[in-house]
Amino acid sequence: MRKKIVAGNWKMNTTVAEGVALAKAVAAKSAEVPANVGLIVAPPFTHLVSVAEALKGSKVELSAQNCADKAKGAYTGEVAADMLVSAGCQWTILGHSERRQYYGETDAKLVDKVRLALDNGLGVILCVGEMLEERKAGRHFAVVTEQTENVLFHFSAEDMAKIVIAYEPVWAIGTGETATAEQAEEIHACIRKVLEGKFGKEVADNTTILYGGSCKPSNAKELFAQPDIDGGLIGGASLKADDFIEIGKSF
Ligand code: 13P
């Protein structure tokens, strides 16, 4: 059966000291979260080594928020997948809408990034999601299907065992406006169908699909009760250890 996961994307928040304190607080309470629910935190690059240390001995795994589309060399300001592994990461988020919107991340670049992450042994949390105008135009299924196909159809069924998908409707990120459980469920089911068409039912059934976008303790239970929603990618609410842990207990 596919794994349930709650992952915290800290985005560009916290100093190193604040991040270590947050990681320690999450680690200390992580045993309250059921054993079958995975917990992941994704701090900024600068925090990774110290946060890895703070998480030691707990079930909480470490993710980066991005990685380079090149293996190494003269790419000033970039961080490569093997560097993330050497810093203690098990995961990287890729294709977050903020990277697509503000930093020109394309599906083509994402194929290279996912490949490098997998080749280096990282698990990938690949984000997809439509903008408000796309939903208003009734294009949300098409957009999410395209994003999923454009990246994941370059990979194999075996690769899919290391890939988690996060559906994050852009209009629900940081706005306080969550997708309803029905809106989220129908997109998750659509993504699973797309995976089934390419990789078969077993891979589709085994792929974890997270919801992200103003997910918090008050709405997590209803979202996670949906048959195709396997957890959450949490922004704002992951910056408070108690809220993050509460969400982890919402299955
Ligand atoms: P919020 O939970 O702050 O809406 O952010 C969601 C998100 O973008 C997680 O990656």
Side-chain angles (χ1 to χ4, degrees), residues 6-174:
V6 172
N9 175 9
W10 296 0
K11 307 193 180 182
M12 199 171 72
N13 293 295
T14 73
T15 61
V16 174
E18 289 164 353
V20 167
L22 175 56
K24 282 186 177 160
V26 169
K29 287 170 182 274
S30 59
E32 294 175 22
V33 171
N36 66 339
V37 178
L39 288 179
I40 300 172
V41 293
F45 288 135
T46 43
H47 303 28
L48 291 172
V49 170
S50 318
V51 168
E53 192 59 37
L55 296 177
K56 271 206 182 119
S58 80
K59 68 182 261 176
V60 187
E61 297 188 325
L62 184 64
S63 177
Q65 299 175 14
N66 183 28
C67 84
D69 61 341
K70 304 285 193 298
K72 67 184 291 185
Y75 301 103
T76 302
E78 290 294 306
V79 178
D82 67 340
M83 298 174 187
L84 299 179
V85 173
S86 72
C89 287
Q90 293 92 355
W91 295 89
T92 184
I93 296 172
L94 290 173
H96 193 280
S97 62
E98 288 149 15
R99 302 234 34 108
R100 294 178 188 259
Q101 256 185 297
Y102 309 139
Y103 301 99
E105 190 120 306
T106 60
D107 288 336
K109 251 188 209 169
L110 282 168
V111 173
D112 294 337
K113 291 187 176 200
V114 172
R115 175 93 56 212
L116 282 162
L118 295 180
D119 284 351
N120 283 281
L122 289 170
V124 169
I125 302 173
L126 177 73
C127 304
V128 297
E130 82 284 0
M131 318 266 283
L132 181 60
E133 313 81 72
E134 293 168 331
R135 177 161 280 266
K136 280 187 173 156
R139 297 197 56 243
H140 38 298
F141 290 105
V143 167
V144 169
T145 297
E146 270 166 37
Q147 290 173 336
T148 305
E149 291 179 352
N150 287 349
V151 180
L152 293 183
F153 280 20
H154 293 266
F155 295 89
S156 67
E158 293 75 56
D159 291 332
M160 287 303 298
K162 295 276 288 175
I163 296 173
V164 165
I165 299 172
Y167 168 57
E168 301 204 305
V170 178
W171 48 271
I173 295 177

